[in-house]
Amino acid sequence: MNFGRFPAMVCPWLENGSLTSYLECRHDTLKPVERLSLISDVAAGLQYLHSQSTVHGDLSGSNILIDGNGRACISDFGLSIVLTKLGGSTYATSSHAGWTLRWTAPELLDLQAPEDEDNPLYIAPKPSSDVYSFGRIILQILTGKVPYHYYISDGKVLSAIIQGIIPMRPNPPLVTDRQWRFIQRCWMPIDADESRPHADEIVEFARQQLDELQNASL
């Protein structure tokens, strides 16, 4: 507690660093089962957060850390909010600066000028926005590349998101038809007829993918 006015969160050291750097170093040597295990780890972590009425709000390849055994752990809860029964939050930040654009759900990008510059509108992350980011995480783990890797500038990424242009589909050997369909479900617009999957669904999807791969290798 003795770090100032507020409590500090102290996390264990994870030897393999962030998911993004881990994939850059190990992309050519990671086995399919290891990739699916990473997806399963992130899905389980997200399911736990949502079961505790907590939204992460900033899920990206930078704040998923990998331990010495190759297990993925969700970290960096600087933008997390705890939901209340009334739909509000007990904590919220007034800045969007922490979000990593390439993983961010489009509904969180407030592109309109505020009516009151001293009191800008805060758009609170929701479980469904975490799921959108999780879809980007699946793509990154399967391909080893960050979303929109073919765009160097964030300006082009932002333009694509505004226009509703999702990342290009990789070659089928990297992402199967079933995986791509599920990823696209995670990226459904919030006003679409089909909703994004819930946390329980993403855990089940990851489990089925692992089971199918392990059964195929028997």
Side-chain angles (χ1 to χ4, degrees), residues 81-146:
I81 61 172
V82 180
L83 306 180
T84 68
K85 292 182 179 179
L86 296 178
S89 66
T90 56
Y91 168 80
T93 177
S94 61
S95 172
H96 292 165
W99 275 301
T100 308
L101 182 61
R102 293 170 189 266
W103 290 263
T104 302
E107 64 269 16
L108 298 181
L109 300 174
D110 183 13
L111 303 176
Q112 297 181 351
E115 295 181 2
D116 182 355
E117 63 180 15
D118 294 326
N119 295 289
L121 177 65
Y122 171 69
I123 303 175
K126 297 180 180 179
S128 59
S129 57
D130 276 350
V131 170
Y132 185 99
S133 300
F134 177 74
R136 296 281 207 257
I137 294 295
I138 298 177
L139 182 66
Q140 182 181 5
I141 291 174
L142 293 177
T143 63
K145 299 177 180 179
V146 298

Short mmCIF file of all heavy atoms in Angstrom, two decimals, residues 81-146:
data_model
loop_
_atom_site.label_atom_id
_atom_site.label_comp_id
_atom_site.label_asym_id
_atom_site.label_seq_id
_atom_site.Cartn_x
_atom_site.Cartn_y
_atom_site.Cartn_z
N ILE A 81 -12.90 -1.75 -15.84
CA ILE A 81 -14.01 -1.20 -15.08
C ILE A 81 -14.79 -2.35 -14.46
O ILE A 81 -14.87 -3.42 -15.02
CB ILE A 81 -14.95 -0.33 -15.93
CG1 ILE A 81 -15.59 -1.15 -17.06
CG2 ILE A 81 -14.23 0.86 -16.51
CD1 ILE A 81 -16.66 -0.41 -17.81
N VAL A 82 -15.30 -2.10 -13.28
CA VAL A 82 -16.14 -3.09 -12.61
C VAL A 82 -17.59 -2.67 -12.79
O VAL A 82 -17.98 -1.57 -12.40
CB VAL A 82 -15.79 -3.17 -11.11
CG1 VAL A 82 -16.68 -4.20 -10.42
CG2 VAL A 82 -14.32 -3.52 -10.92
N LEU A 83 -18.38 -3.53 -13.40
CA LEU A 83 -19.77 -3.20 -13.71
C LEU A 83 -20.63 -3.25 -12.46
O LEU A 83 -20.39 -4.04 -11.55
CB LEU A 83 -20.32 -4.18 -14.74
CG LEU A 83 -19.52 -4.33 -16.04
CD1 LEU A 83 -20.22 -5.34 -16.94
CD2 LEU A 83 -19.40 -2.99 -16.74
N THR A 84 -21.65 -2.41 -12.42
CA THR A 84 -22.62 -2.45 -11.35
C THR A 84 -23.94 -2.96 -11.90
O THR A 84 -24.14 -3.07 -13.10
CB THR A 84 -22.84 -1.05 -10.74
OG1 THR A 84 -23.48 -0.23 -11.73
CG2 THR A 84 -21.51 -0.41 -10.36
N LYS A 85 -24.87 -3.28 -11.02
CA LYS A 85 -26.17 -3.78 -11.46
C LYS A 85 -26.94 -2.74 -12.25
O LYS A 85 -27.83 -3.07 -13.02
CB LYS A 85 -26.98 -4.23 -10.24
CG LYS A 85 -26.41 -5.46 -9.55
CD LYS A 85 -27.27 -5.89 -8.38
CE LYS A 85 -26.71 -7.14 -7.73
NZ LYS A 85 -27.53 -7.58 -6.56
N LEU A 86 -26.58 -1.50 -12.07
CA LEU A 86 -27.27 -0.43 -12.80
C LEU A 86 -26.64 -0.16 -14.15
O LEU A 86 -27.11 0.69 -14.89
CB LEU A 86 -27.28 0.85 -11.96
CG LEU A 86 -28.06 0.78 -10.64
CD1 LEU A 86 -27.93 2.11 -9.90
CD2 LEU A 86 -29.52 0.45 -10.89
N GLY A 87 -25.57 -0.90 -14.48
CA GLY A 87 -24.96 -0.74 -15.78
C GLY A 87 -23.87 0.30 -15.82
O GLY A 87 -23.30 0.58 -16.88
N GLY A 88 -23.54 0.90 -14.69
CA GLY A 88 -22.48 1.88 -14.67
C GLY A 88 -21.16 1.24 -14.32
O GLY A 88 -20.92 0.08 -14.60
N SER A 89 -20.28 1.99 -13.68
CA SER A 89 -19.00 1.42 -13.28
C SER A 89 -18.53 2.10 -12.01
O SER A 89 -18.89 3.23 -11.70
CB SER A 89 -17.96 1.62 -14.39
OG SER A 89 -17.67 3.00 -14.55
N THR A 90 -17.71 1.37 -11.25
CA THR A 90 -17.13 1.96 -10.05
C THR A 90 -15.81 2.63 -10.36
O THR A 90 -15.25 3.32 -9.54
CB THR A 90 -16.89 0.87 -8.99
OG1 THR A 90 -16.05 -0.15 -9.57
CG2 THR A 90 -18.20 0.24 -8.57
N TYR A 91 -15.30 2.39 -11.57
CA TYR A 91 -14.08 3.05 -11.99
C TYR A 91 -14.13 3.29 -13.49
O TYR A 91 -14.56 2.44 -14.25
CB TYR A 91 -12.84 2.20 -11.68
CG TYR A 91 -11.59 2.73 -12.34
CD1 TYR A 91 -10.90 3.79 -11.79
CD2 TYR A 91 -11.14 2.18 -13.54
CE1 TYR A 91 -9.77 4.29 -12.42
CE2 TYR A 91 -10.01 2.67 -14.17
CZ TYR A 91 -9.33 3.72 -13.61
OH TYR A 91 -8.22 4.23 -14.23
N ALA A 92 -13.74 4.43 -13.91
CA ALA A 92 -13.67 4.71 -15.35
C ALA A 92 -12.61 5.76 -15.59
O ALA A 92 -12.38 6.63 -14.77
CB ALA A 92 -15.02 5.22 -15.87
N THR A 93 -11.95 5.67 -16.72
CA THR A 93 -10.94 6.66 -17.09
C THR A 93 -11.53 7.65 -18.08
O THR A 93 -12.40 7.29 -18.86
CB THR A 93 -9.70 5.98 -17.70
OG1 THR A 93 -8.79 6.99 -18.08
CG2 THR A 93 -10.06 5.17 -18.93
N SER A 94 -11.06 8.85 -18.06
CA SER A 94 -11.59 9.87 -18.97
C SER A 94 -10.77 9.99 -20.24
O SER A 94 -11.00 10.87 -21.05
CB SER A 94 -11.62 11.23 -18.27
OG SER A 94 -10.30 11.61 -17.90
N SER A 95 -9.77 9.12 -20.42
CA SER A 95 -8.90 9.20 -21.59
C SER A 95 -8.92 7.91 -22.38
O SER A 95 -8.96 6.83 -21.82
CB SER A 95 -7.46 9.50 -21.14
OG SER A 95 -6.58 9.41 -22.25
N HIS A 96 -8.90 8.03 -23.71
CA HIS A 96 -8.82 6.86 -24.57
C HIS A 96 -7.39 6.54 -24.97
O HIS A 96 -7.16 5.64 -25.76
CB HIS A 96 -9.64 7.10 -25.85
CG HIS A 96 -11.10 7.17 -25.60
ND1 HIS A 96 -11.98 7.67 -26.52
CD2 HIS A 96 -11.86 6.79 -24.55
CE1 HIS A 96 -13.21 7.63 -26.05
NE2 HIS A 96 -13.15 7.09 -24.86
N ALA A 97 -6.44 7.27 -24.44
CA ALA A 97 -5.06 7.15 -24.90
C ALA A 97 -4.49 5.77 -24.67
O ALA A 97 -3.58 5.34 -25.37
CB ALA A 97 -4.19 8.20 -24.21
N GLY A 98 -5.01 5.04 -23.67
CA GLY A 98 -4.43 3.75 -23.35
C GLY A 98 -4.79 2.66 -24.33
O GLY A 98 -4.14 1.63 -24.38
N TRP A 99 -5.85 2.83 -25.08
CA TRP A 99 -6.27 1.79 -26.01
C TRP A 99 -5.27 1.62 -27.14
O TRP A 99 -4.73 2.60 -27.66
CB TRP A 99 -7.64 2.10 -26.59
CG TRP A 99 -8.74 1.64 -25.72
CD1 TRP A 99 -9.00 0.37 -25.30
CD2 TRP A 99 -9.77 2.46 -25.15
NE1 TRP A 99 -10.11 0.34 -24.50
CE2 TRP A 99 -10.59 1.61 -24.39
CE3 TRP A 99 -10.07 3.81 -25.21
CZ2 TRP A 99 -11.70 2.08 -23.70
CZ3 TRP A 99 -11.16 4.27 -24.52
CH2 TRP A 99 -11.96 3.40 -23.78
N THR A 100 -5.04 0.39 -27.52
CA THR A 100 -4.19 0.09 -28.65
C THR A 100 -5.08 -0.06 -29.87
O THR A 100 -5.88 -0.98 -29.96
CB THR A 100 -3.39 -1.19 -28.39
OG1 THR A 100 -2.72 -1.07 -27.12
CG2 THR A 100 -2.34 -1.40 -29.46
N LEU A 101 -4.89 0.81 -30.83
CA LEU A 101 -5.84 0.97 -31.93
C LEU A 101 -6.10 -0.31 -32.70
O LEU A 101 -7.24 -0.61 -33.04
CB LEU A 101 -5.32 2.06 -32.87
CG LEU A 101 -6.20 2.42 -34.06
CD1 LEU A 101 -7.54 2.96 -33.58
CD2 LEU A 101 -5.49 3.45 -34.94
N ARG A 102 -5.07 -1.07 -33.01
CA ARG A 102 -5.22 -2.24 -33.87
C ARG A 102 -6.11 -3.32 -33.26
O ARG A 102 -6.54 -4.23 -33.97
CB ARG A 102 -3.85 -2.81 -34.22
CG ARG A 102 -3.02 -1.89 -35.10
CD ARG A 102 -1.59 -2.34 -35.26
NE ARG A 102 -0.81 -1.32 -35.94
CZ ARG A 102 -0.59 -1.30 -37.26
NH1 ARG A 102 -1.06 -2.28 -38.01
NH2 ARG A 102 0.10 -0.33 -37.81
N TRP A 103 -6.35 -3.26 -31.97
CA TRP A 103 -7.18 -4.26 -31.29
C TRP A 103 -8.51 -3.66 -30.80
O TRP A 103 -9.32 -4.37 -30.22
CB TRP A 103 -6.44 -4.84 -30.09
CG TRP A 103 -5.29 -5.72 -30.43
CD1 TRP A 103 -5.27 -7.10 -30.49
CD2 TRP A 103 -3.95 -5.31 -30.73
NE1 TRP A 103 -4.02 -7.56 -30.82
CE2 TRP A 103 -3.18 -6.48 -30.98
CE3 TRP A 103 -3.31 -4.07 -30.82
CZ2 TRP A 103 -1.83 -6.45 -31.31
CZ3 TRP A 103 -1.96 -4.04 -31.16
CH2 TRP A 103 -1.23 -5.22 -31.39
N THR A 104 -8.72 -2.38 -31.01
CA THR A 104 -9.83 -1.67 -30.38
C THR A 104 -11.15 -1.85 -31.12
O THR A 104 -11.21 -1.74 -32.35
CB THR A 104 -9.51 -0.17 -30.29
OG1 THR A 104 -8.32 0.01 -29.55
CG2 THR A 104 -10.64 0.59 -29.60
N ALA A 105 -12.22 -2.11 -30.37
CA ALA A 105 -13.56 -2.19 -30.96
C ALA A 105 -13.96 -0.82 -31.48
O ALA A 105 -13.73 0.20 -30.81
CB ALA A 105 -14.56 -2.67 -29.92
N PRO A 106 -14.56 -0.75 -32.67
CA PRO A 106 -14.87 0.56 -33.27
C PRO A 106 -15.82 1.42 -32.45
O PRO A 106 -15.74 2.65 -32.51
CB PRO A 106 -15.49 0.18 -34.63
CG PRO A 106 -15.88 -1.24 -34.51
CD PRO A 106 -14.93 -1.88 -33.55
N GLU A 107 -16.70 0.78 -31.67
CA GLU A 107 -17.65 1.59 -30.90
C GLU A 107 -16.97 2.38 -29.79
O GLU A 107 -17.56 3.31 -29.21
CB GLU A 107 -18.75 0.71 -30.30
CG GLU A 107 -18.29 -0.32 -29.29
CD GLU A 107 -17.96 -1.66 -29.92
OE1 GLU A 107 -17.79 -1.72 -31.16
OE2 GLU A 107 -17.87 -2.65 -29.16
N LEU A 108 -15.72 2.02 -29.45
CA LEU A 108 -15.00 2.74 -28.41
C LEU A 108 -14.28 3.97 -28.94
O LEU A 108 -13.74 4.77 -28.18
CB LEU A 108 -13.98 1.82 -27.74
CG LEU A 108 -14.55 0.60 -27.02
CD1 LEU A 108 -13.43 -0.20 -26.37
CD2 LEU A 108 -15.58 1.01 -25.98
N LEU A 109 -14.24 4.12 -30.26
CA LEU A 109 -13.55 5.26 -30.87
C LEU A 109 -14.54 6.41 -31.01
O LEU A 109 -15.36 6.44 -31.91
CB LEU A 109 -12.99 4.86 -32.24
CG LEU A 109 -11.97 3.72 -32.22
CD1 LEU A 109 -11.61 3.33 -33.64
CD2 LEU A 109 -10.73 4.11 -31.43
N ASP A 110 -14.45 7.35 -30.11
CA ASP A 110 -15.33 8.52 -30.14
C ASP A 110 -14.74 9.53 -31.11
O ASP A 110 -13.80 10.26 -30.79
CB ASP A 110 -15.44 9.12 -28.74
CG ASP A 110 -16.40 10.30 -28.69
OD1 ASP A 110 -17.15 10.48 -29.67
OD2 ASP A 110 -16.40 11.03 -27.69
N LEU A 111 -15.27 9.57 -32.33
CA LEU A 111 -14.69 10.39 -33.39
C LEU A 111 -15.38 11.75 -33.54
O LEU A 111 -15.00 12.53 -34.41
CB LEU A 111 -14.76 9.62 -34.71
CG LEU A 111 -14.07 8.26 -34.70
CD1 LEU A 111 -14.28 7.55 -36.02
CD2 LEU A 111 -12.59 8.41 -34.40
N GLN A 112 -16.38 12.02 -32.71
CA GLN A 112 -17.09 13.29 -32.80
C GLN A 112 -16.54 14.28 -31.79
O GLN A 112 -16.12 13.90 -30.69
CB GLN A 112 -18.59 13.08 -32.57
CG GLN A 112 -19.25 12.18 -33.62
CD GLN A 112 -20.73 12.02 -33.36
OE1 GLN A 112 -21.24 12.45 -32.33
NE2 GLN A 112 -21.43 11.43 -34.31
N ALA A 113 -16.54 15.52 -32.15
CA ALA A 113 -16.08 16.57 -31.23
C ALA A 113 -17.06 16.67 -30.06
O ALA A 113 -18.27 16.66 -30.26
CB ALA A 113 -15.99 17.90 -31.97
N PRO A 114 -16.56 16.77 -28.83
CA PRO A 114 -17.44 16.88 -27.66
C PRO A 114 -18.18 18.21 -27.64
O PRO A 114 -17.65 19.23 -28.09
CB PRO A 114 -16.48 16.75 -26.48
CG PRO A 114 -15.17 17.24 -27.01
CD PRO A 114 -15.13 16.81 -28.46
N GLU A 115 -19.40 18.19 -27.13
CA GLU A 115 -20.16 19.43 -27.00
C GLU A 115 -19.55 20.33 -25.94
O GLU A 115 -19.62 21.55 -26.04
CB GLU A 115 -21.62 19.10 -26.65
CG GLU A 115 -22.34 18.33 -27.76
CD GLU A 115 -23.79 18.05 -27.39
OE1 GLU A 115 -24.22 18.50 -26.30
OE2 GLU A 115 -24.49 17.40 -28.18
N ASP A 116 -18.95 19.72 -24.94
CA ASP A 116 -18.32 20.48 -23.86
C ASP A 116 -16.88 20.01 -23.75
O ASP A 116 -16.61 18.89 -23.32
CB ASP A 116 -19.06 20.23 -22.53
CG ASP A 116 -18.46 21.05 -21.39
OD1 ASP A 116 -17.43 21.72 -21.61
OD2 ASP A 116 -19.03 21.00 -20.29
N GLU A 117 -15.93 20.84 -24.15
CA GLU A 117 -14.53 20.42 -24.17
C GLU A 117 -13.98 20.15 -22.79
O GLU A 117 -12.98 19.43 -22.63
CB GLU A 117 -13.67 21.48 -24.86
CG GLU A 117 -13.65 22.81 -24.17
CD GLU A 117 -12.79 23.83 -24.90
OE1 GLU A 117 -12.47 23.58 -26.08
OE2 GLU A 117 -12.44 24.86 -24.29
N ASP A 118 -14.61 20.71 -21.76
CA ASP A 118 -14.14 20.48 -20.39
C ASP A 118 -14.69 19.18 -19.81
O ASP A 118 -14.18 18.69 -18.81
CB ASP A 118 -14.55 21.65 -19.48
CG ASP A 118 -13.84 22.93 -19.88
OD1 ASP A 118 -12.67 22.84 -20.31
OD2 ASP A 118 -14.46 24.00 -19.75
N ASN A 119 -15.73 18.64 -20.45
CA ASN A 119 -16.34 17.40 -19.96
C ASN A 119 -16.60 16.46 -21.15
O ASN A 119 -17.74 16.26 -21.56
CB ASN A 119 -17.66 17.69 -19.24
CG ASN A 119 -17.45 18.50 -17.99
OD1 ASN A 119 -16.93 18.00 -17.00
ND2 ASN A 119 -17.85 19.78 -18.03
N PRO A 120 -15.52 15.89 -21.71
CA PRO A 120 -15.69 15.00 -22.86
C PRO A 120 -16.47 13.75 -22.48
O PRO A 120 -16.39 13.26 -21.35
CB PRO A 120 -14.25 14.66 -23.25
CG PRO A 120 -13.46 14.87 -22.00
CD PRO A 120 -14.13 16.01 -21.30
N LEU A 121 -17.22 13.23 -23.44
CA LEU A 121 -18.02 12.04 -23.22
C LEU A 121 -17.11 10.83 -23.08
O LEU A 121 -16.20 10.62 -23.87
CB LEU A 121 -18.98 11.82 -24.39
CG LEU A 121 -19.85 10.55 -24.34
CD1 LEU A 121 -20.81 10.64 -23.17
CD2 LEU A 121 -20.59 10.38 -25.66
N TYR A 122 -17.33 10.04 -22.03
CA TYR A 122 -16.56 8.81 -21.84
C TYR A 122 -17.37 7.63 -22.35
O TYR A 122 -18.51 7.42 -21.93
CB TYR A 122 -16.21 8.61 -20.37
CG TYR A 122 -15.59 7.25 -20.11
CD1 TYR A 122 -14.32 6.96 -20.58
CD2 TYR A 122 -16.30 6.28 -19.41
CE1 TYR A 122 -13.76 5.72 -20.37
CE2 TYR A 122 -15.74 5.03 -19.20
CZ TYR A 122 -14.47 4.75 -19.67
OH TYR A 122 -13.92 3.52 -19.46
N ILE A 123 -16.80 6.86 -23.27
CA ILE A 123 -17.46 5.68 -23.80
C ILE A 123 -16.91 4.47 -23.06
O ILE A 123 -15.74 4.10 -23.24
CB ILE A 123 -17.22 5.53 -25.32
CG1 ILE A 123 -17.69 6.80 -26.04
CG2 ILE A 123 -17.93 4.31 -25.86
CD1 ILE A 123 -17.38 6.80 -27.53
N ALA A 124 -17.71 3.88 -22.22
CA ALA A 124 -17.24 2.79 -21.36
C ALA A 124 -17.10 1.50 -22.14
O ALA A 124 -17.99 1.13 -22.91
CB ALA A 124 -18.20 2.60 -20.19
N PRO A 125 -15.98 0.78 -21.98
CA PRO A 125 -15.86 -0.54 -22.58
C PRO A 125 -16.91 -1.49 -22.01
O PRO A 125 -17.34 -1.35 -20.87
CB PRO A 125 -14.45 -0.98 -22.18
CG PRO A 125 -13.73 0.27 -21.79
CD PRO A 125 -14.78 1.18 -21.23
N LYS A 126 -17.31 -2.47 -22.80
CA LYS A 126 -18.28 -3.47 -22.39
C LYS A 126 -17.69 -4.86 -22.64
O LYS A 126 -16.69 -5.00 -23.35
CB LYS A 126 -19.59 -3.30 -23.16
CG LYS A 126 -20.27 -1.97 -22.91
CD LYS A 126 -21.56 -1.85 -23.72
CE LYS A 126 -22.26 -0.52 -23.46
NZ LYS A 126 -23.50 -0.40 -24.28
N PRO A 127 -18.30 -5.90 -22.08
CA PRO A 127 -17.80 -7.25 -22.39
C PRO A 127 -17.70 -7.52 -23.88
O PRO A 127 -16.75 -8.17 -24.34
CB PRO A 127 -18.85 -8.15 -21.71
CG PRO A 127 -19.36 -7.34 -20.57
CD PRO A 127 -19.38 -5.92 -21.07
N SER A 128 -18.65 -7.01 -24.65
CA SER A 128 -18.63 -7.26 -26.09
C SER A 128 -17.43 -6.59 -26.77
O SER A 128 -16.93 -7.10 -27.77
CB SER A 128 -19.93 -6.76 -26.73
OG SER A 128 -20.12 -5.38 -26.50
N SER A 129 -16.95 -5.47 -26.22
CA SER A 129 -15.77 -4.84 -26.81
C SER A 129 -14.51 -5.64 -26.48
O SER A 129 -13.57 -5.68 -27.28
CB SER A 129 -15.63 -3.39 -26.34
OG SER A 129 -15.58 -3.28 -24.94
N ASP A 130 -14.47 -6.30 -25.33
CA ASP A 130 -13.38 -7.22 -25.03
C ASP A 130 -13.38 -8.38 -26.02
O ASP A 130 -12.31 -8.83 -26.46
CB ASP A 130 -13.52 -7.78 -23.61
CG ASP A 130 -12.97 -6.87 -22.53
OD1 ASP A 130 -12.28 -5.88 -22.87
OD2 ASP A 130 -13.21 -7.15 -21.34
N VAL A 131 -14.55 -8.88 -26.35
CA VAL A 131 -14.66 -10.01 -27.28
C VAL A 131 -14.16 -9.59 -28.66
O VAL A 131 -13.50 -10.36 -29.36
CB VAL A 131 -16.11 -10.53 -27.35
CG1 VAL A 131 -16.29 -11.53 -28.48
CG2 VAL A 131 -16.50 -11.17 -26.01
N TYR A 132 -14.49 -8.37 -29.07
CA TYR A 132 -13.98 -7.86 -30.34
C TYR A 132 -12.45 -7.91 -30.35
O TYR A 132 -11.84 -8.39 -31.31
CB TYR A 132 -14.46 -6.42 -30.55
CG TYR A 132 -14.09 -5.83 -31.90
CD1 TYR A 132 -15.01 -5.80 -32.94
CD2 TYR A 132 -12.82 -5.30 -32.13
CE1 TYR A 132 -14.68 -5.25 -34.18
CE2 TYR A 132 -12.48 -4.76 -33.37
CZ TYR A 132 -13.42 -4.74 -34.38
OH TYR A 132 -13.08 -4.21 -35.60
N SER A 133 -11.84 -7.42 -29.28
CA SER A 133 -10.38 -7.44 -29.18
C SER A 133 -9.86 -8.87 -29.16
O SER A 133 -8.79 -9.16 -29.72
CB SER A 133 -9.93 -6.70 -27.92
OG SER A 133 -10.35 -5.35 -27.94
N PHE A 134 -10.59 -9.77 -28.54
CA PHE A 134 -10.19 -11.18 -28.50
C PHE A 134 -10.13 -11.77 -29.91
O PHE A 134 -9.24 -12.58 -30.21
CB PHE A 134 -11.16 -11.98 -27.63
CG PHE A 134 -10.86 -13.45 -27.59
CD1 PHE A 134 -9.78 -13.94 -26.87
CD2 PHE A 134 -11.66 -14.35 -28.28
CE1 PHE A 134 -9.50 -15.31 -26.83
CE2 PHE A 134 -11.39 -15.72 -28.26
CZ PHE A 134 -10.31 -16.19 -27.53
N GLY A 135 -11.04 -11.36 -30.77
CA GLY A 135 -10.98 -11.81 -32.16
C GLY A 135 -9.68 -11.40 -32.83
O GLY A 135 -9.09 -12.16 -33.60
N ARG A 136 -9.21 -10.20 -32.51
CA ARG A 136 -7.93 -9.73 -33.04
C ARG A 136 -6.78 -10.57 -32.46
O ARG A 136 -5.79 -10.86 -33.13
CB ARG A 136 -7.71 -8.27 -32.69
CG ARG A 136 -8.71 -7.29 -33.31
CD ARG A 136 -8.36 -7.01 -34.76
NE ARG A 136 -8.83 -5.71 -35.19
CZ ARG A 136 -9.90 -5.50 -35.94
NH1 ARG A 136 -10.62 -6.52 -36.37
NH2 ARG A 136 -10.25 -4.26 -36.30
N ILE A 137 -6.92 -10.94 -31.18
CA ILE A 137 -5.90 -11.76 -30.53
C ILE A 137 -5.80 -13.13 -31.20
O ILE A 137 -4.69 -13.65 -31.43
CB ILE A 137 -6.20 -11.92 -29.02
CG1 ILE A 137 -6.07 -10.57 -28.29
CG2 ILE A 137 -5.28 -12.97 -28.39
CD1 ILE A 137 -4.68 -9.99 -28.28
N ILE A 138 -6.95 -13.74 -31.51
CA ILE A 138 -6.93 -15.04 -32.19
C ILE A 138 -6.16 -14.92 -33.50
O ILE A 138 -5.29 -15.74 -33.81
CB ILE A 138 -8.36 -15.54 -32.49
CG1 ILE A 138 -9.15 -15.77 -31.21
CG2 ILE A 138 -8.30 -16.86 -33.28
CD1 ILE A 138 -10.59 -16.20 -31.47
N LEU A 139 -6.48 -13.89 -34.28
CA LEU A 139 -5.82 -13.68 -35.57
C LEU A 139 -4.32 -13.52 -35.37
O LEU A 139 -3.51 -14.10 -36.12
CB LEU A 139 -6.40 -12.45 -36.26
CG LEU A 139 -5.82 -12.13 -37.65
CD1 LEU A 139 -6.19 -13.22 -38.65
CD2 LEU A 139 -6.33 -10.77 -38.13
N GLN A 140 -3.92 -12.75 -34.38
CA GLN A 140 -2.51 -12.51 -34.14
C GLN A 140 -1.79 -13.81 -33.75
O GLN A 140 -0.68 -14.08 -34.24
CB GLN A 140 -2.33 -11.47 -33.03
CG GLN A 140 -0.86 -11.15 -32.75
CD GLN A 140 -0.69 -10.13 -31.65
OE1 GLN A 140 -1.66 -9.71 -31.00
NE2 GLN A 140 0.53 -9.71 -31.42
N ILE A 141 -2.40 -14.60 -32.89
CA ILE A 141 -1.76 -15.85 -32.45
C ILE A 141 -1.62 -16.83 -33.60
O ILE A 141 -0.59 -17.49 -33.76
CB ILE A 141 -2.55 -16.47 -31.29
CG1 ILE A 141 -2.42 -15.60 -30.02
CG2 ILE A 141 -2.06 -17.89 -31.00
CD1 ILE A 141 -3.28 -16.05 -28.87
N LEU A 142 -2.64 -16.94 -34.43
CA LEU A 142 -2.61 -17.91 -35.53
C LEU A 142 -1.62 -17.50 -36.63
O LEU A 142 -1.03 -18.36 -37.28
CB LEU A 142 -4.00 -18.08 -36.12
CG LEU A 142 -5.05 -18.74 -35.21
CD1 LEU A 142 -6.40 -18.77 -35.92
CD2 LEU A 142 -4.62 -20.15 -34.82
N THR A 143 -1.45 -16.21 -36.83
CA THR A 143 -0.60 -15.74 -37.93
C THR A 143 0.78 -15.28 -37.46
O THR A 143 1.72 -15.21 -38.26
CB THR A 143 -1.25 -14.57 -38.67
OG1 THR A 143 -1.40 -13.45 -37.77
CG2 THR A 143 -2.63 -14.97 -39.21
N GLY A 144 0.90 -14.92 -36.18
CA GLY A 144 2.14 -14.38 -35.67
C GLY A 144 2.35 -12.92 -35.98
O GLY A 144 3.42 -12.37 -35.70
N LYS A 145 1.34 -12.25 -36.54
CA LYS A 145 1.46 -10.86 -36.94
C LYS A 145 0.36 -10.02 -36.29
O LYS A 145 -0.76 -10.51 -36.07
CB LYS A 145 1.37 -10.72 -38.46
CG LYS A 145 2.47 -11.48 -39.20
CD LYS A 145 2.30 -11.37 -40.70
CE LYS A 145 3.40 -12.12 -41.44
NZ LYS A 145 3.24 -12.04 -42.91
N VAL A 146 0.66 -8.76 -36.01
CA VAL A 146 -0.33 -7.88 -35.41
C VAL A 146 -1.44 -7.60 -36.42
O VAL A 146 -1.21 -7.69 -37.64
CB VAL A 146 0.30 -6.55 -34.93
CG1 VAL A 146 1.33 -6.81 -33.86
CG2 VAL A 146 0.89 -5.78 -36.10
#
